[in-house]
Amino acid sequence: MNDEILFIRCMQPDDVNQVYVESLNNENKYLETKPDRVTIEFQRKYIGDTLLSNDRLLLCFFYKGDLIGTSGSQAISSNEFSLGIFIFDDWRGRGFGSILVWMACRFLIQEFNVLTVKAGMEIDNHASLKSFLKQEFIEKWCSRKINPIITIS
């Protein structure tokens, strides 16, 4: 992937497309906060609301101009954020998850002066766990359903 173009930025309502919505609707196991069915209009409003928020951030991840994933973050404190990743169906299994983790962490650190990034995921989401561990997150298991992983600041 050396010469291929990857970039990340804050997601805008106009970034929502049919592929994104279909990927959200196909994911029934790991995206707990979404309704059963998402529409383009619903997701555009959600992103607009997120842009107005002081403690939430939604990043979009592009590969060769195509939106292939997103990363959601929430402030835990002034210098600590949680991070989640979502790679669309057709792009999974190609290593993009760990790249998205790296890019999202760099974005949070550079743009928001974040000192600590924690990743929350379902305990059995092995693909997401693998993506975070590849970026040197430290695994810390807990008894809750969500499994925090903390990166070294």
Side-chain angles (χ1 to χ4, degrees), residues 13 16 39-51:
V16 176
T39 64
I40 288 176
E41 295 77 23
F42 174 90
Q43 197 62 17
R44 284 183 176 161
K45 182 180 180 333
Y46 173 79
I47 291 166
D49 292 344
T50 300
L51 288 169

Side-chain angles (χ1 to χ4, degrees), residues 1-137:
M1 285 192 237
N2 296 341
D3 60 347
E4 298 167 0
I5 299 170
L6 295 161
F7 71 94
I8 193 170
R9 65 169 167 76
C10 287
M11 191 162 203
Q12 301 296 314
D14 287 344
D15 292 320
V16 176
N17 60 31
Q18 192 62 39
V19 172
Y20 175 35
V21 169
E22 287 173 8
S23 292
L24 287 172
N25 286 327
N26 289 340
E27 183 56 63
N28 295 316
K29 189 170 183 181
Y30 297 121
L31 295 177
E32 292 183 347
T33 59
K34 76 169 186 70
D36 290 336
R37 296 298 299 167
V38 174
T39 64
I40 288 176
E41 295 77 23
F42 174 90
Q43 197 62 17
R44 284 183 176 161
K45 182 180 180 333
Y46 173 79
I47 291 166
D49 292 344
T50 300
L51 288 169
L52 297 173
S53 168
N54 291 328
D55 64 350
R56 293 181 295 150
L57 178 68
L58 190 59
L59 302 173
C60 49
F61 182 48
F62 291 90
Y63 171 65
K64 293 186 176 181
D66 291 328
L67 178 63
I68 67 164
T70 61
S71 176
S73 300
Q74 285 188 305
I76 297 170
S77 67
S78 62
N79 61 3
E80 182 177 44
F81 270 68
S82 66
L83 177 69
I85 61 169
F86 179 58
I87 300 294
F88 301 169
D89 300 336
D90 292 343
W91 298 96
R92 293 180 182 169
R94 301 183 193 186
F96 288 115
S98 63
I99 295 168
L100 177 54
V101 168
W102 183 85
M103 292 176 84
C105 286
R106 299 289 87 60
F107 188 93
L108 290 170
I109 291 165
Q110 291 173 358
E111 299 297 323
F112 294 94
N113 298 314
V114 171
L115 299 177
T116 303
V117 178
K118 291 185 176 183
M121 70 198 68
E122 298 281 340
I123 289 173
D124 63 344
N125 190 341
H126 302 290
S128 187
L129 175 62
K130 184 178 173 183
S131 294
F132 283 97
L133 292 176
K134 279 185 177 180
Q135 296 306 321
E136 299 184 11
F137 275 62

